[in-house]
Each structure stands twice: as structure tokens, then as C-alpha cells.
């Protein structure tokens, strides 16, 4: 489980970073989205991996913290997902505006030949 | 809880409610929106002053506001201490002045200027108030989202290009912010900053390494905001492309990064933090020095006033980072005064750019820069027509015979303030920083001397750059057209400079306040005691 998750985070991050360094605005948007997925997984992992454990403490049963998953990272991930969704949407609008105004989808707004 | 205690949340709630209400108003009801904005920001200034007097009362402890009355550290807490109250007041003053300036014409250059402006204020205030790291992230995002909209305000190719870089860099930075938060949470099991101050001192070994990596990644987010070299290349082009009042407001945003660094280094990495104490101080020092050098060189190389302004923001960030890196309370006291006076100064400078360059008649192409709107919106055509009509009107304006004299004196005032020359507040602040460094020299070694030399040389560079710009913009143009200055534009500049003058006249109490603030920052136990619920604190706290 741990190795699968860490591999997944690593591969997604690597792809995201690679895309981030590409010159097209669409690649930038996808790169940032991939990175945000990787980081959401990372936050979840920081609350320790636990199978079949509820995050909500049962009132009736004896409260044994070891039997429950940490609820805080889950709450953090939810917030982070919402925020990154909103900023990605904003970025997409900006990409379209930049494409319309500059006539190119290069991140610098001009096509430069190396 | 007495009603006065609820004032703590007002700097977040007021702009949020006002902005939400304004969203349902049509763009035609401009005067109503302006009135709401002005009223909200005036109220914010009032609240900030009230909070400041509350926490500065003799024996006044930091005020903690528990949302939903859940005991800290389990839920969201807002905390006001001297530093937060000071920053709130600074943000409200700058907001009020720039908004006033924007009324001259900029608030008509695009839709929804006022809600965005208030949301930016809300994000900034929230970042100053929050007591835990994750809400710091949330308020950073609120602030950034509003700033994306404002950076694009007025539209045009230049702004869109600069904003694209700005948005991409800041989204990537926010992700680093999250990694840092997650690592710190994984090690300490808490996000509450007061709780961190209690838990960090007992860390050792591998956990300490993880905590320091988390804090380092987190600081990258703050360094990008503050514009530390080599993370600050985005700053000058974005600020130069933004509309004048927007750029002036952004001056406070780079200080939010500095605030977060000061707060965290005091709470979690202060002298009382066991093995983690003084972590990254050398890095702050080295990064700050490099930033100062970059800012000073950029200033000397800048050909336009906006370039000088951007470089000066970098320069002041660098100075503040160096001062934080010394880890000494007297230096920090001077640095806080420097923070206030340099922010006010650069804000006035950004507002001054437009009238000065108009007087020198070189903003023709700048005026042409804004073109078709980015967003299809309610009556964009109407807005643009009005805006262009206003452009025509501007040519008439109110003729003040002594316009150039007024602009010139304001410019000299700004230059003195930014270069840190007597008799203005910039001088007192730099004097306090250098005095603190000299008294702590044995402990600082060569770093202290380098820092003092850098502060003095950067002042010289500022003076040279400003003098040159002043000569070419205010003296050289001989056969210029009759210059115009509108009263709405002149007033906020005068107000900002008057605030700096007030800092000099009230230098005694102001310096006393800064010293108390710095002393309180170096006593994280007091902060933690005010925030955390005593019932939940076992005497021997263990992880």
C-alpha cells in the first residue's frame, strides 16, 4: 500500500513538474492540475495510511484513537481540492484570454525561435 | 464574551459581506458601490485602531477568538496581538488611500473593481488574524484569487501576459505551501501556531529534520510572495503592468509574506525552541542580502518609475528578511517601523507615478495600453465608453497652477522616505535597525557588518535612482503642456505622506510600540498561553 501510494505521488509529481516547464499554456494548466492531485494524495498520506478505519469517533464505543483514521488531513484535502479547482478554472479563463489577445498559446505571449 | 471581543472577526466579515452584497448590484450603481467600499474600509480602519488600543493596553494580552467557541487547538482560532493589529491598521490605511485614488478613474476601467478590492482586503486581513497554518493558506488563496482579478483590471495585452506568469507562479507556490503544511502536521500533529510553539521545542532527531524540511518548503511560499531573490522575478513586471491603484495595494501583499516569516520564526524557531532555535536564520540573512543587491541594481537600471517602485519593494523585502535573520529583538523593532514606513512610501510612490508621468507627457502609449475587455460582462461596452469619455474629461481636469511644484515636493518626500534620509520615518527605522545591529554585533560577526553596509549602500542606490528619475521627469520637460492634477488623486498621496510624517512626529510612542511588539514576539509562551485552553494543557506536555 505504502509503496503504491508513494510511487503514484512520485510519478504524478514528476509528470506535473515536466509539464510545468513546457512552453504551451495548456500544458501548464494540465501540469498544475496533476501537481495538485499529487499534493492532495500527499496530504492524505501525512495523516498516516490506515485501512477500514472511520474518521469520525463513535460516541458509544470506547474512544481508542488507534482505531480511527485522522480526520484532519481529510478535511484539509477537501478544502485544497475546492481551492485548486477554483484557481484552475480561473487559470483556464486567463489562458483563453491570453490566446485571444496575443494570438498564440505560448506562455510568454510570443513565439520565439531559439 | 463581551461585544468588544467580537471585533476580532470584523476585519474578515465586514469586507466579505460588503463584497457579497455588491456582487448583486448592477455596474450602473457606481456611486452606491463606491460609498459601500469607502464606508467598509473606514470601518476597518476604525476596528483596527480599536483592536490596537485593546492589545496595547498596559498588561494587555493577545486576544484569541475561537470560532464556534471550540477549545483551541482543536478548532479555528483568530488571534490579535500587537503585530497583527499593526498590520491590520496598515492594510486598512493603504486600502483606504488607494481606493480613494481609484475613484478618480481606475474603478471604471473594468467590471467589479470594488468587490475584488474588498476581497483582497479580506484575504490580507485574514492572513494577519489567523492562528493556524491551514487558514493562513486559505486566506492566502482568497487574497491571491482577488489579486488575479485585480492584476487583470483594465485588461490589455501587457496585463494579460504579466498576469499569466503571476497566476502560474502563485498556483505552483500554493502547492508548495500545502506540502509544507502537510509535513509540519505529520511531525507535530497540529496546525495551530500557538500549539506549534509548545510542541516544537520537544522535537529531536529525525522528527526535527522533517519539521525543518516542512518549514523550509513552507517558507518558499512566503519567499515567493515577499519577492526574495531568486524567487522574485515575477514581481516587477506584474506590478508595473497592473493599474496604478492596484499596484499600490499589492505593496501590502509582499508584506504578508514577510509577516508570515516573522510570525513563524518567532513562534516556532525562536530562542526558546530547543533544537529548532535559529533554524534558517543564516538563510534569511543570505537571501535577504541577495534580494537587497538585486533590488538596488534593478533600481539603478530601471528606466521608468514603475520599475523603480518594483525594485524598491524587493529592496525593502530584502532589508526586512535580513533584519528577521538577525533574530534580535531591537533589530526587529526597527524592522517593523521600516515595514510600515516603506510600505506607505512605496504605496505613495505608485500613486504618484501616473500624475508625474502625465505631467511629463510620456504616458501616451500607457494610456493606449488598455484595449478590449477580457470578460464578456454586464455592459462592458458601456463601461469602456464611459471610461474613454472620462479620459477626454481628464484633459480638462482642475488646473492647479502649482501642480508641478506639488508633484515635485511629493516626489522629493517619497525619495527621502524611501532612501531613509532624515527627517522622515525611513531614517528613524533604518537608524533603529542599524543601532540594534551594532549593539548585537559580537553575536552576529561578519554578517552584521555586511548587513549594515548593505542597508547604507541600498539607501544610496535609492537616492541616486530617485534623483535621476526626478530630474528627467520633473525638471527636464520644458515645453510640456499645462499639467493637471485632480484633487481626488492628490489627496490620497498627501494622506499617505502625512501618515509618514505622523510616524516621525509621534516617533516616541511609535518606537515604544514597535519595541513592545518585538519583545512580545520573542516571548512565544505568552502568545501560546493566550490562545490555548488552559484546561487542555497538562503541565508536562508530551507528544
Amino acid at each position: 500500500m505504502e509503496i503504491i501510494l508513494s510511487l503514484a505521488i512520485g510519478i504524478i509529481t514528476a509528470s506535473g513538474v515536466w509539464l510545468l516547464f513546457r512552453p504551451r499554456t495548456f500544458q501548464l494548466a494540465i501540469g498544475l492540475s496533476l501537481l495538485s492531485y499529487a499534493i492532495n494524495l500527499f496530504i492524505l498520506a501525512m495523516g498516516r495510511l490506515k485501512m477500514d478505519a472511520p474518521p469520525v469517533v463513535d460516541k458509544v464505543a470506547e474512544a481508542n484513537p488507534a482505531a480511527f483514521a485522522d480526520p484532519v488531513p481529510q478535511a484539509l484535502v477537501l478544502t485544497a481540492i475546492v481551492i485548486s479547482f477554483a484557481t484552475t478554472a480561473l487559470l483556464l479563463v486567463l489562458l483563453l484570454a491570453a490566446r485571444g489577445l496575443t494570438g498564440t498559446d505560448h506562455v510568454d505571449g510570443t513565439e520565439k525561435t531559439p | 464574551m463581551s461585544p468588544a471581543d467580537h471585533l476580532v472577526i470584523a476585519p474578515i466579515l465586514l469586507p466579505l459581506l460588503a463584497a457579497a452584497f455588491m456582487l448583486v448590484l448592477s455596474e450602473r450603481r457606481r456611486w452606491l458601490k463606491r460609498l459601500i467600499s469607502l464606508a467598509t474600509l473606514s470601518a476597518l480602519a476604525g476596528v483596527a485602531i480599536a483592536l490596537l488600543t485593546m492589545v496595547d493596553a498596559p498588561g494587555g494580552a493577545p486576544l484569541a477568538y475561537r470560532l464556534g467557541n471550540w477549545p483551541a487547538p482543536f478548532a479555528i482560532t483568530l488571534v490579535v496581538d500587537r503585530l497583527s493589529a499593526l498590520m491590520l491598521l496598515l492594510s486598512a490605511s493603504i486600502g483606504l488611500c488607494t481606493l480613494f485614488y481609484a475613484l478618480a478613474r481606475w474603478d471604471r476601467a473594468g467590471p467589479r473593481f470594488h468587490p475584488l478590492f474588498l476581497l483582497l482586503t479580506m484575504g490580507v486581513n485574514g492572513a494577519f488574524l489567523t492562528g493556524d497554518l491551514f487558514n493562513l493558506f486559505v486566506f492566502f488563496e482568497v487574497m491571491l484569487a482577488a489579486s488575479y482579478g485585480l492584476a487583470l483590471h483594465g485588461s490589455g495585452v501587457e496585463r494579460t501576459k504579466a498576469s499569466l506568469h503571476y497566476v502560474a507562479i502563485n498556483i505552483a507556490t500554493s502547492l508548495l505551501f500545502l506540502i509544507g503544511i502537510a509535513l509540519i502536521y505529520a511531525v507535530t500533529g497540529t496546525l495551530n501556531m500557538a500549539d506549534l510553539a509548545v510542541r516544537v521545542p520537544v522535537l529531536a532527531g529525525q522528527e526535527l529534520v522533517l519539521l525543518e524540511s516542512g518549514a523550509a518548503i513552507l517558507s518558499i511560499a512566503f519567499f515567493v510572495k515577499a519577492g526574495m531573490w531568486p524567487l522574485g522575478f515575477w514581481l516587477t513586471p506584474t506590478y508595473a503592468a497592473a493599474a496604478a491603484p492596484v499596484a499600490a495595494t499589492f505593496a501590502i501583499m509582499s508584506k504578508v509574506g514577510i509577516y508570515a516569516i516573522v510570525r513563524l520564526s518567532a513562534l516556532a524557531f525562536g530562542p526558546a525552541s530547543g533544537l529548532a532555535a535559529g533554524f534558517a536564520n543564516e538563510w534569511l540573512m543570505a537571501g535577504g542580502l541577495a534580494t537587497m543587491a538585486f533590488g538596488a541594481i534593478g533600481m539603478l537600471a530601471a528606466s521608468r518609475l514603475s520599475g523603480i517602485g518594483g525594485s524598491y519593494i524587493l529592496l525593502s523585502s530584502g532589508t526586512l528578511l535580513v533584519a528577521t535573520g538577525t533574530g534580535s529583538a531591537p533589530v526587529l523593532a526597527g524592522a517593523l517601523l521600516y515595514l510600515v514606513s516603506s510600505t506607505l512610501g512605496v504605496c505613495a510612490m505608485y500613486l504618484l507615478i501616473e500624475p508625474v508621468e502625465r505631467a511629463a507627457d510620456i504616458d501616451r502609449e500607457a494610456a493606449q495600453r488598455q484595449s478590449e475587455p477580457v470578460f464578456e460582462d454586464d455592459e462592458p461596452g458601456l463601461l469602456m465608453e464611459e471610461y474613454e469619455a472620462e479620459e477626454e474629461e481628464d484633459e480638462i481636469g482642475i488646473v492647479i497652477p502649482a501642480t508641478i511644484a506639488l508633484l515635485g515636493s511629493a516626489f522629493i518626500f517619497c525619495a527621502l522616505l524611501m532612501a531613509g534620509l532624515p527627517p522622515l520615518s525611513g531614517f528613524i527605522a533604518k537608524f533603529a535597525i542599524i543601532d540594534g545591529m551594532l549593539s548585537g554585533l559580537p553575536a552576529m560577526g561578519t554578517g552584521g557588518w555586511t548587513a549594515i553596509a548593505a542597508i547604507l549602500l541600498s539607501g544610496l542606490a535609492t537616492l541616486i535612482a530617485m534623483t535621476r528619475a526626478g530630474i528627467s521627469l520633473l525638471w527636464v520637460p520644458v515645453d510640456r503642456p499645462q499639467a493637471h492634477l485632480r484633487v481626488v488623486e492628490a489627496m490620497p498621496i498627501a494622506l499617505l505622506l502625512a501618515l509618514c510624517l505622523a510616524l516621525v512626529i509621534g516617533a516616541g510612542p511609535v518606537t515604544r510600540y514597535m519595541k513592545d511588539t518585538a519583545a512580545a514576539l520573542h516571548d512565544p509562551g505568552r502568545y501560546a498561553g493566550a490562545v490555548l485552553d488552559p484546561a487542555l494543557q497538562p503541565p508536562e506536555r508530551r507528544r
Side-chain angles (χ1 to χ4, degrees):
Chain A
M1 172 97 173
E2 281 83 356
I3 191 79
I4 296 175
L5 190 70
S6 31
L7 272 177
I9 295 175
I11 292 170
I12 301 177
T13 311
S15 324
V17 169
W18 188 76
L19 281 172
L20 210 56
F21 294 145
R22 305 298 302 160
R24 303 288 149 203
T25 50
F26 183 69
Q27 292 168 318
L28 177 74
I30 299 295
L32 285 173
S33 311
L34 281 181
L35 271 178
S36 80
Y37 300 149
I39 277 143
N40 290 337
L41 287 176
F42 179 77
I43 299 176
L44 209 58
M46 284 301 108
R48 311 292 185 267
L49 295 177
K50 200 168 271 182
M51 300 282 279
D52 300 329
V56 182
V57 178
D58 195 345
K59 239 185 197 169
V60 188
E62 179 108 349
N64 171 20
F68 297 97
D70 192 342
V72 177
Q74 306 193 2
L76 302 189
V77 165
L78 266 182
T79 320
I81 289 174
V82 174
I83 289 177
S84 72
F85 182 72
T87 45
T88 309
L90 207 146
L91 181 68
L92 285 177
V93 175
L94 192 54
L95 299 189
L96 290 177
R99 174 74 179 79
L101 284 172
T102 62
T104 162
D105 65 345
H106 195 281
V107 284
D108 287 337
T110 44
E111 292 287 349
K112 259 187 245 141
T113 44
Chain B
M1 265 191 146
S2 72
D5 289 337
H6 290 285
L7 268 188
V8 177
I9 202 172
I12 298 172
L13 273 190
L14 275 180
L16 176 65
L17 293 178
F21 175 64
M22 270 194 269
L23 278 182
V24 301
L25 293 178
S26 146
E27 286 293 326
R28 284 174 192 280
R29 317 192 61 172
R30 213 165 53 219
W31 275 103
L32 184 58
K33 289 192 172 190
R34 288 173 168 182
L35 279 179
I36 296 176
S37 292
L38 281 175
T40 313
L41 281 166
S42 317
L44 285 182
V47 169
I49 292 174
L51 287 174
L52 196 125
T53 46
M54 271 155 83
V55 290
D56 195 38
L63 298 172
Y65 185 85
R66 298 180 182 88
L67 272 83
N69 215 10
W70 283 82
F74 295 117
I76 297 170
T77 329
L78 303 178
V79 189
V80 191
D81 64 349
R82 286 196 173 88
L83 179 61
S84 308
L86 175 72
M87 298 304 284
L88 284 178
L89 186 56
L90 183 63
S91 122
S93 337
I94 285 194
L96 200 55
C97 290
T98 46
L99 180 73
F100 221 96
Y101 182 89
L103 297 189
R105 62 188 190 124
W106 275 109
D107 68 334
R108 273 156 292 170
R112 284 191 264 289
F113 176 80
H114 292 284
L116 285 173
F117 195 85
L118 286 181
L119 285 175
L120 180 76
T121 314
M122 173 203 158
V124 170
N125 285 347
F128 292 149
L129 279 175
T130 178
D132 69 288
L133 284 177
F134 196 74
N135 277 298
L136 188 62
F137 166 74
V138 173
F139 282 118
F140 255 70
E141 288 303 309
V142 172
M143 172 181 98
L144 289 173
S147 80
Y148 301 153
L150 281 177
L152 277 167
H153 184 73
S155 183
V157 179
E158 276 308 310
R159 286 196 188 109
T160 314
K161 274 196 223 168
S163 299
L164 187 60
H165 295 180
Y166 174 65
V167 174
I169 286 168
N170 276 302
I171 293 181
T173 312
S174 305
L175 298 173
L176 288 175
F177 200 145
L178 279 175
I179 297 182
I181 289 178
L183 274 174
I184 290 180
Y185 179 76
V187 183
T188 60
T190 186
L191 287 169
N192 189 302
M193 292 197 269
D195 205 19
L196 267 185
V198 178
R199 291 188 188 209
V200 166
V202 297
L203 292 180
Q206 275 194 324
E207 289 185 325
L208 189 66
V209 175
L210 265 182
L211 175 85
E212 291 188 347
S213 340
I217 295 174
L218 186 64
S219 330
I220 292 179
F222 303 142
F223 289 148
V224 170
K225 229 30 319 356
M228 184 175 104
W229 186 87
L231 305 168
F233 295 121
W234 59 271
L235 193 140
T236 318
T238 312
Y239 284 29
V246 172
T249 324
F250 281 9
I252 188 92
M253 285 209 325
S254 60
K255 299 302 182 283
V256 178
I258 300 282
Y259 164 85
I261 291 165
V262 169
R263 172 70 80 203
L264 262 189
S265 61
L267 275 181
F269 303 102
S273 310
L275 290 174
F279 158 72
N281 272 0
E282 316 85 80
W283 284 95
L284 283 178
M285 198 84 155
L289 285 173
T291 317
M292 283 174 84
F294 181 70
I297 294 170
M299 221 165 174
L300 289 174
S303 57
R304 298 201 53 169
L305 277 180
S306 53
I308 295 186
S311 300
Y312 180 72
I313 290 185
L314 295 180
L315 178 60
S316 70
S317 287
T319 312
L320 290 165
L321 289 174
V322 167
T324 316
T326 60
S328 105
V331 178
L332 191 58
L336 290 174
L337 182 55
Y338 179 78
L339 189 157
V340 174
S341 105
S342 71
T343 313
L344 291 174
V346 80
C347 183
M349 155 96 186
Y350 265 115
L351 296 185
L352 207 53
I353 290 176
E354 236 183 2
V356 166
E357 293 196 338
R358 184 164 63 224
D361 202 30
I362 63 163
D363 76 331
R364 284 286 161 251
E365 88 269 38
Q368 246 106 72
R369 222 189 276 160
Q370 38 82 27
S371 51
E372 68 269 39
V374 182
F375 302 106
E376 282 301 318
D377 217 292
D378 38 355
E379 309 129 32
L382 170 105
L383 276 168
M384 290 317 286
E385 270 164 35
E386 277 189 15
Y387 181 71
E388 272 149 24
E390 195 63 34
E391 289 271 89
E392 299 299 313
E393 266 174 47
D394 272 349
E395 299 301 317
I396 305 160
I398 300 168
V399 180
I400 302 172
T403 308
I404 293 300
L406 272 180
L407 284 178
S409 43
F411 193 84
I412 293 172
F413 211 101
C414 266
L416 289 180
L417 194 62
M418 285 159 61
L421 289 179
L424 296 178
S425 51
F427 171 71
I428 302 178
K430 279 197 174 177
F431 185 83
I433 295 180
I434 294 176
D435 183 49
M437 281 180 174
L438 281 176
S439 59
L441 259 186
M444 278 176 241
T446 46
W449 284 115
T450 325
I452 292 174
I455 290 174
L456 293 176
L457 283 178
S458 69
L460 181 66
T462 316
L463 195 63
I464 294 174
M466 289 296 277
T467 313
R468 207 183 44 199
I471 290 174
S472 66
L473 285 171
L474 292 161
W475 282 1
V476 173
V478 183
D479 51 345
R480 64 172 134 242
Q482 181 70 53
H484 304 278
L485 180 65
R486 306 180 76 198
V487 184
V488 220
E489 289 174 338
M491 256 189 38
I493 302 174
L495 191 58
L496 284 168
L497 296 178
L499 279 176
C500 291
L501 211 55
L503 282 181
V504 182
I505 295 168
V510 169
T511 320
R512 199 269 311 150
Y513 183 86
M514 302 299 177
K515 279 192 178 136
D516 285 354
T517 312
L521 278 172
H522 278 255
D523 184 13
R526 220 166 118 75
Y527 180 92
V531 175
L532 298 175
D533 199 329
L536 294 167
Q537 296 299 306
E540 279 302 309
R541 177 131 195 186
R542 294 165 51 82
R543 286 197 61 246

